[in-house]
C-alpha cells in the first residue's frame, strides 16, 4: 500500500501509515476506484487476447490488496472525526462489489461499522450492495436494531423501492414471516446545492451533474477546513455546479475526486481522460484524484504521465487506487 500525504488546512504535510487508522484525525478511504464492470474485465480473462491484456492478467498473479489495477465499483468511506472527538463512518455508494470491499478494506483499515450511507444515484454500481448492509449491522433475527440512515433523492428512492421492496417495506403483511434484512432509515434529500444535509455530523452539499444528457446524478461537496468534492459519475457539469467548485467561482477545492472512464476519446455518460483533464484545468483544485477507471489504465504507468502533467499545469493529479487512505482535516 502506497503512502499518501494528508491534507491539513489545504496544505500537504507528513505521510500516512500503511494500515489501520493513522492518528486521531479524519481520513478518506477509497473502497473502490473502478468502473461499473470493475477491473479486471472478465472477458480479458475468459477470452484472453493475444497478447493478453497486461492490466487484467495481473489479477491472476498479484493479490488484489497488492495490485493497484484491481478496481471495485467506485465507493468512498469517510472516516470522520469531529471536533469533539466523536468518530463516525460515512460511506458514499454501495455497489455490486460492496461485500468484497468490506472484507478487504474494512478489515485492513479497522473500520468497525457504517453510521450512514449517502447515494449518488440508483444505478447498479451504486446500490446493488444494499442487501449486504445487514452483514455489517448487529444480528437480530427479528430486525430489532437501530436502522442505518441512508440519504438519497426521491428518484433513487422510487427506483430502490422497485428493486428492493423488502428493504423499504415498513410493516409485514398478514401471514408474512419475519426475515432478517438490512434495516435502513430512508432520508430524502433535494438535488440542489443550496439544500445541504447533515449525515453523522458532517454537512454535505449536493452537486447535480449530468450522467448522460437524460440523467441527473449527484456529486457531493463536504468539509469545512478542507473542501472536498466527490463526483463519480459525470459527463457534463451544469454551469451552476461548476461555479460552486471552481477556483474562479465560489472558491478553490482542496481535493477534487473525479470520474475518468477511458484514456482516449469521449463517452456519452462519463468523462474520459481528455475531458477530465480539461475539467480539472477549469475547476483548478489544489489536488485531484481520479476514479471510475476501466482496464485501459495502468496505475503506475499512467500516474507517471499524470505526474508530468501535474508539473506542467501546476495541479497535482493522480489515479486513486482501491484501499488508498488520505488523512484530511475536515
Amino acid at each position: 500500500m502506497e503512502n499518501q500525504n494528508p491534507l491539513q488546512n489545504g496544505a500537504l504535510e507528513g505521510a500516512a501509515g500503511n494500515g489501520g487508522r493513522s492518528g486521531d484525525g479524519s481520513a478518506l478511504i477509497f473502497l473502490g476506484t473502478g468502473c461499473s464492470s470493475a477491473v479486471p474485465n472478465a472477458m480479458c480473462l475468459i477470452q484472453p487476447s493475444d497478447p493478453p491484456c497486461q492490466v487484467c492478467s495481473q489479477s491472476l498473479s498479484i493479490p488484489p490488496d497488492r495490485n493497484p489495477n484491481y478496481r471495485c465499483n467506485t465507493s468512498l468511506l469517510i472516516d470522520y472525526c469531529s471536533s469533539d472527538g466523536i468518530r463516525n463512518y460515512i460511506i458514499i455508494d454501495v455497489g455490486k462489489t460492496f461485500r468484497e470491499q468490506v472484507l478487504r478494506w474494512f478489515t485492513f483499515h479497522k473500520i468497525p461499522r457504517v453510521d450512514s450511507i449517502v447515494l449518488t444515484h440508483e444505478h447498479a454500481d451504486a446500490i446493488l450492495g444494499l442487501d449486504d448492509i445487514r452483514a455489517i449491522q448487529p444480528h437480530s433475527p427479528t430486525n430489532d436494531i437501530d436502522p442505518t440512515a441512508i440519504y438519497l433523492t426521491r428518484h433513487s428512492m422510487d427506483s430502490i423501492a422497485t428493486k428492493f421492496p423488502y428493504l423499504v417495506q415498513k410493516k409485514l403483511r398478514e401471514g408474512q414471516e419475519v426475515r432478517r434484512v438490512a434495516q435502513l432509515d430512508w432520508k430524502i434529500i433535494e438535488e440542489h446545492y443550496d439544500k445541504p444535509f447533515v449525515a453523522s455530523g458532517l454537512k454535505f452539499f449536493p452537486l447535480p451533474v449530468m450522467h448522460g444528457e437524460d440523467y441527473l446524478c449527484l456529486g457531493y461537496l463536504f468539509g469545512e477546513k478542507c473542501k472536498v468534492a466527490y463526483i463519480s459519475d459525470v459527463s457534463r457539469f451544469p454551469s451552476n455546479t461548476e461555479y460552486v467548485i471552481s477556483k474562479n467561482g465560489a472558491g478553490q477545492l482542496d481535493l477534487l475526486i473525479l470520474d475518468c472512464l477511458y484514456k482516449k476519446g469521449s463517452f456519452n455518460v462519463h468523462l474520459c481522460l481528455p475531458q477530465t483533464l480539461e475539467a480539472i484545468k477549469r475547476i483548478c483544485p489544489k489536488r485531484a484524484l481520479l476514479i471510475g477507471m476501466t482496464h485501459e489504465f495502468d496505475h503506475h504507468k499512467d500516474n507517471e504521465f499524470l505526474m508530468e502533467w501535474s508539473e506542467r499545469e501546476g495541479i497535482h493529479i493522480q489515479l486513486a487506487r482501491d484501499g488508498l487512505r488520505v488523512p484530511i482535516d475536515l
Side-chain angles (χ1 to χ4, degrees), residues 49-96:
S49 58
D50 185 16
C53 171
Q54 290 187 348
V55 167
C56 292
S57 59
Q58 287 178 354
S59 68
L60 300 177
S61 59
I62 303 176
D65 60 337
R66 293 195 286 113
N67 181 4
N69 288 321
Y70 190 101
R71 305 180 181 112
C72 291
N73 294 157
T74 53
S75 180
L76 183 74
L77 188 135
I78 305 169
D79 178 355
Y80 176 54
C81 185
S82 60
S83 58
D84 57 7
I86 296 176
R87 189 176 293 276
N88 283 293
Y89 303 93
I90 307 159
I91 191 170
I92 301 180
D93 288 343
V94 285
K96 296 179 285 184

Side-chain angles (χ1 to χ4, degrees), residues 8-10 83 223-227 254 329-330:
Q8 296 177 337
N9 295 324
S83 58
E224 294 183 1
K225 298 173 184 175
C226 285
K227 292 172 60 178
D254 293 288
D329 194 0
L330 295 174

Side-chain angles (χ1 to χ4, degrees), residues 287-326:
R287 184 179 182 186
L289 288 167
L290 306 187
I291 58 173
M293 292 81 69
T294 66
H295 65 151
E296 289 189 2
F297 287 89
D298 183 288
H299 185 82
H300 295 301
K301 291 180 181 178
D302 290 310
N303 268 343
E304 290 179 3
F305 163 78
L306 291 174
M307 186 62 70
E308 295 174 359
W309 187 94
S310 299
E311 293 174 356
R312 185 171 64 250
E313 300 294 338
I315 304 171
H316 185 79
I317 176 174
Q318 291 278 271
L319 303 179
R321 59 160 293 172
D322 287 23
L324 177 65
R325 182 183 186 275
V326 180

Side-chain angles (χ1 to χ4, degrees), residues 120-295:
T120 59
H121 64 312
E122 43 72 57
H123 287 169
D125 57 347
I127 70 160
L128 285 194
L130 285 174
D131 181 81
D132 285 319
I133 293 296
R134 64 176 173 168
I136 58 171
Q137 291 181 322
H139 186 272
S140 171
T142 58
N143 298 319
D144 186 22
I145 60 172
D146 292 332
T148 302
I150 180 167
Y151 298 83
L152 71 171
T153 65
R154 171 52 63 186
H155 174 75
S156 291
M157 180 78 262
D158 292 343
S159 176
I160 289 171
T162 300
K163 295 180 176 74
F164 296 102
Y166 60 93
L167 295 181
V168 178
Q169 180 183 1
K170 294 298 183 182
K171 295 182 179 180
L172 295 176
R173 298 186 301 273
E174 183 177 353
Q176 184 179 7
E177 295 283 357
V178 176
R179 290 176 171 83
R180 184 178 175 235
V181 299
Q183 296 302 295
L184 301 167
D185 182 12
W186 305 93
K187 296 182 180 294
I188 303 301
I189 60 173
E190 297 191 46
E191 300 168 331
H192 302 288
Y193 170 77
D194 59 358
K195 299 291 185 180
F197 61 95
V198 176
S200 297
L202 184 62
K203 182 180 285 188
F204 288 83
F205 294 85
L207 298 173
V209 295
M210 303 312 298
H211 183 17
E213 289 302 304
D214 61 346
Y215 192 91
L216 189 70
C217 184
L218 291 183
Y220 294 100
L221 176 68
F222 58 90
E224 294 183 1
K225 298 173 184 175
C226 285
K227 292 172 60 178
V228 180
Y230 179 87
I231 304 172
S232 59
D233 296 80
V234 56
S235 56
R236 180 174 64 83
F237 291 92
S239 58
N240 289 346
T241 295
E242 187 162 321
Y243 176 86
V244 165
I245 60 175
S246 295
K247 181 179 180 180
N248 293 330
Q252 188 176 34
L253 295 172
D254 293 288
L255 176 62
L256 173 61
I257 301 167
L258 187 59
D259 187 17
C260 185
L261 186 67
Y262 293 120
K263 283 178 66 172
K264 299 178 181 178
S266 62
F267 197 65
N268 61 324
V269 296
H270 287 277
L271 296 180
C272 299
L273 185 60
Q275 301 86 50
T276 298
L277 294 178
E278 285 300 314
I280 288 171
K281 285 199 290 186
R282 293 195 313 270
I283 294 168
C284 197
K286 295 178 182 177
R287 184 179 182 186
L289 288 167
L290 306 187
I291 58 173
M293 292 81 69
T294 66
H295 65 151

